[in-house]
Amino acid sequence: MNQEMWSKCLLSAYKVLPTLAKSIDRRNMNEALGSFSYQGNTMDVVNAILDNNKRKEALINAKVIVDDALASLKPTYRKILELKYLERIKCEEIAKMEGMSIRNVFRRQALALAGFSKFCILKGYDCEWLEKRYSKDPFFSKIKDRITAQSDKNAMMSDLSKRKKQIKAAVVQILGGMQGASQTAVAES
C-alpha cells in the first residue's frame, strides 16, 4: 500500500482509536480478574495482557501521528481532511458548506493528503514503517481493505469515463465524416 493509502487509513481510523484503546483496557481488566480462577499457566495471561498493551500503544501512536500531521497543515487543508475523514461528510456536502465547487474540494483534498503524507514521511512514518506496525492489526486491515476496494472502484469508474469520452469522440468523428460526405454528394449533383 502506498503512502497516500496509509494516510487515508490513518485518517479513517482516527475517530475510533480512543474507543479501541479503552476496549483494550477493559479486556486487560477482564484478563486480570479472570486469572484468579484460571487453572492454566499464569504466563499465558501475562503475555495476553502484554500483547494487548503493545496494540494499545500502537493505536495511541497512530492517533498522535494523525494529530501532529493535521496540525502541520494549512487550516484550509486541515478542515477539508477533518470534514472528509473525521466527520465522514461527502465532498458534495463539503462544497456546499464551504461555498466552493466540488472540483475545488477534490483539488484541496488531494493537496491536503499530499501534505499529510509528506509530513508522515518527513517524521519517519513512511509506508514501510506503517506497514510494519499496522498491516497485521485487524482494525487497520479492515480499513485498508475498504479503502483499497474504493480506490479500485474509483479507478474502474475513471476508466469507464475515459472510454465513454473516446466512444463519444469517435461517434462525433464518424458523424462529421458522414455529414461531409453527404454535403459532397449534394454538391456533385
Side-chain angles (χ1 to χ4, degrees):
M1 192 157 71
N2 65 27
Q3 190 69 36
E4 182 180 313
M5 297 289 271
W6 270 113
S7 294
K8 289 178 181 180
C9 192
L10 287 169
L11 285 161
S12 296
Y14 180 82
K15 210 166 184 180
V16 183
L17 294 174
T19 305
L20 281 173
K22 286 179 185 175
S23 73
I24 289 172
D25 286 339
R26 284 190 299 273
R27 185 182 305 153
N28 281 345
M29 183 61 73
N30 290 337
E31 291 272 355
L33 292 174
S35 68
F36 292 118
S37 62
Y38 183 66
Q39 297 299 316
N41 187 346
T42 307
M43 287 308 295
D44 292 342
V45 174
V46 170
N47 287 332
I49 291 172
L50 289 173
D51 288 343
N52 289 340
N53 284 341
K54 286 178 189 174
R55 182 172 186 223
K56 180 182 174 186
E57 180 182 350
L59 295 173
I60 291 170
N61 287 340
K63 186 177 182 319
V64 170
I65 291 168
V66 174
D67 285 336
D68 290 348
L70 286 173
S72 76
L73 298 174
K74 292 180 183 178
T76 54
Y77 292 164
R78 181 180 328 117
K79 188 170 187 178
I80 292 287
L81 292 182
E82 287 173 346
L83 292 172
K84 171 75 174 156
Y85 292 99
L86 279 51
E87 301 302 322
R88 307 240 193 290
I89 298 174
K90 294 183 178 184
C91 290
E92 294 82 6
E93 293 177 45
I94 294 172
K96 287 179 189 172
M97 289 170 55
E98 297 299 309
M100 64 178 75
S101 69
I102 186 79
R103 184 177 182 169
N104 212 359
V105 171
F106 282 120
R107 186 178 59 78
R108 287 186 184 185
Q109 179 186 338
L111 291 170
L113 274 172
F116 187 99
S117 296
K118 184 178 179 181
F119 173 86
C120 289
I121 291 168
L122 289 173
K123 293 295 182 176
Y125 311 124
D126 61 4
C127 55
E128 286 181 28
W129 189 91
L130 293 165
E131 187 78 28
K132 183 178 176 185
R133 303 276 181 315
Y134 299 109
S135 66
K136 290 184 175 51
D137 187 282
F139 176 67
F140 282 100
S141 291
K142 286 181 184 178
I143 293 174
K144 183 174 74 168
D145 292 345
R146 184 175 47 91
I147 290 170
T148 302
Q150 184 64 42
S151 179
D152 292 346
K153 180 181 172 186
N154 290 345
M156 185 178 75
M157 295 302 287
S158 177
D159 289 344
L160 286 174
S161 178
K162 287 177 189 174
R163 184 71 181 136
K164 194 175 179 181
K165 287 178 185 176
Q166 291 170 343
I167 291 169
K168 185 177 179 180
V171 168
V172 168
Q173 187 177 16
I174 291 168
L175 291 176
M178 291 174 74
Q179 186 178 21
S182 66
Q183 287 176 350
T184 305
V186 171
E188 290 175 358
S189 50

